Amino acid sequence: HNITSRKDNTQYSIMPVYIVLLYSDSTFDHIVEKFVKDQDYWHASIAFDPELKYCYSFNFGEAEANKFKGGLSFESYDMYKEAHPNAEMQINCVLLDKESYNFVLDAVDFYIKNKKKTKYSFVNLAYSFVGHKTKNGLKYNLVCSTFVDTILKSADVDISNKKYSNLVKPDDLKKKNDNKKQFKLFEGNILKYSWQKVKEKVEQLCTNIKNSWFSK
C-alpha cells in the first residue's frame, strides 16, 4: 500500500505486520495456567501475510538430532487449525513504513539464518513468572512472546508497554484500547478466521490513513 504526498509527490509505503495470539487448550496451556492467572492467550507468533502461511515463533516442541531443545519455529494457520481446531485466536497488526518494516524483516532473517543456534528457553519462561529482568537484544534462547516483542522492538515498535522483552507474555501483545499503533483484525474460534476479511480490513485501514494524510 502506497500513500503519495501531494506536496512533493513522495510515496510512503504502509506495510502490515501481523501478530498471532493463540489459546490452544493444550496440556502446555493448562500447565502454564497454574502459574500465571488471568491470561487469555499462551502462544504468540509473527507473520507478514493475512493467510498466515508463514508464521514465526519459538516453540519447545521441535526435536533436533534426537535432542529435545526446541527453538525458532516455522508455523502456519493450517498447522494451528489441524492441531487445535478448538483454539481461540486473536489477530492484530501494526502498520509500518518501509524502513521499519525492513528492520522487522531483517530481525526475523537473523533468527532464520541462526536457527540451529536457537533454543526454547525455560529459564526465560521462569523469569517471566517471577518478574526477573534480563537485558534486551537479539538472543538465541527465547520463548514465543519474547521473540515477537524482540522482533517488533528492533523497529522501535512497542505494543507490550514493557521495557524488558523477557517479561512479555502473549497477553501483553493483545490489542489494548489505548494503543493506537495496533489494530485488532479478528478474535474468535480459529475455524472462523477469514483471511479475505482480514485483508479487506487492512486495506480499509490503509485507505483511512491515506485520507487522513491528504486532509491535512
Side-chain angles (χ1 to χ4, degrees):
H1 304 278
N2 293 317
I3 296 177
T4 304
S5 168
R6 289 183 297 182
K7 295 180 181 179
D8 56 10
N9 201 36
T10 301
Q11 283 199 340
Y12 297 89
S13 296
I14 301 177
M15 316 294 286
V17 174
Y18 300 91
I19 296 96
V20 182
L21 303 174
L22 286 170
Y23 176 80
S24 63
D25 199 31
S26 66
T27 301
F28 176 76
D29 289 350
H30 290 302
I31 291 174
V32 176
E33 279 180 320
K34 295 182 181 296
F35 296 94
V36 181
K37 306 296 182 182
D38 301 321
Q39 297 282 307
D40 292 325
Y41 300 101
W42 290 109
H43 187 63
S45 63
I46 194 166
F48 302 96
D49 65 294
E51 296 177 72
L52 309 179
K53 288 184 177 180
Y54 306 98
C55 300
Y56 304 92
S57 185
F58 265 60
N59 203 310
F60 71 93
E62 289 191 356
E64 185 173 310
N66 297 320
K67 182 180 180 181
F68 183 80
K69 66 187 285 290
L72 180 68
S73 178
F74 301 138
E75 305 171 354
S76 70
Y77 169 74
D78 286 342
M79 187 189 84
Y80 298 145
K81 182 179 66 174
E82 291 172 10
H84 306 288
N86 296 319
E88 293 295 311
M89 184 169 72
Q90 183 178 120
I91 307 295
N92 305 316
C93 79
V94 291
L95 300 177
L96 305 180
D97 58 46
K98 189 173 182 179
E99 182 180 14
S100 297
Y101 187 80
N102 286 337
F103 273 117
V104 170
L105 288 179
D106 288 344
V108 172
D109 190 54
F110 168 86
Y111 283 100
I112 293 174
K113 290 178 178 177
N114 292 281
K115 185 179 187 301
K116 291 184 178 180
K117 298 179 182 178
T118 64
K119 184 177 180 180
Y120 188 86
S121 176
F122 287 98
V123 173
N124 186 162
L125 191 64
Y127 280 179
S128 68
F129 289 158
V130 300
H132 182 82
K133 305 169 185 175
T134 60
K135 186 178 179 181
N136 289 336
L138 294 177
K139 301 175 182 178
Y140 297 124
N141 301 341
L142 303 170
V143 297
C144 62
S145 49
T146 298
F147 169 73
V148 173
D149 195 63
T150 297
I151 296 299
L152 293 175
K153 281 190 169 75
S154 72
D156 292 325
V157 177
D158 182 8
I159 63 173
S160 66
N161 294 322
K162 287 193 173 181
K163 182 178 179 181
Y164 296 93
S165 290
N166 83 291
L167 299 182
V168 174
K169 303 178 183 68
D171 256 30
D172 296 320
L173 301 171
K174 290 193 304 186
K175 165 61 182 171
K176 305 173 184 65
N177 292 331
D178 61 345
N179 192 341
K180 297 181 180 179
K181 296 178 291 186
Q182 187 182 19
F183 305 90
K184 184 190 292 186
L185 304 173
F186 172 82
E187 186 171 25
N189 179 267
I190 193 169
L191 298 180
K192 295 181 179 179
Y193 179 73
S194 168
W195 70 265
Q196 294 92 341
K197 291 182 179 179
V198 163
K199 183 179 179 182
E200 290 175 2
K201 287 184 179 181
V202 171
E203 289 175 346
Q204 185 59 55
L205 286 169
C206 291
T207 298
N208 293 343
I209 292 174
K210 178 179 178 180
N211 292 338
S212 174
W213 175 268
F214 284 155
S215 65
K216 292 181 180 179

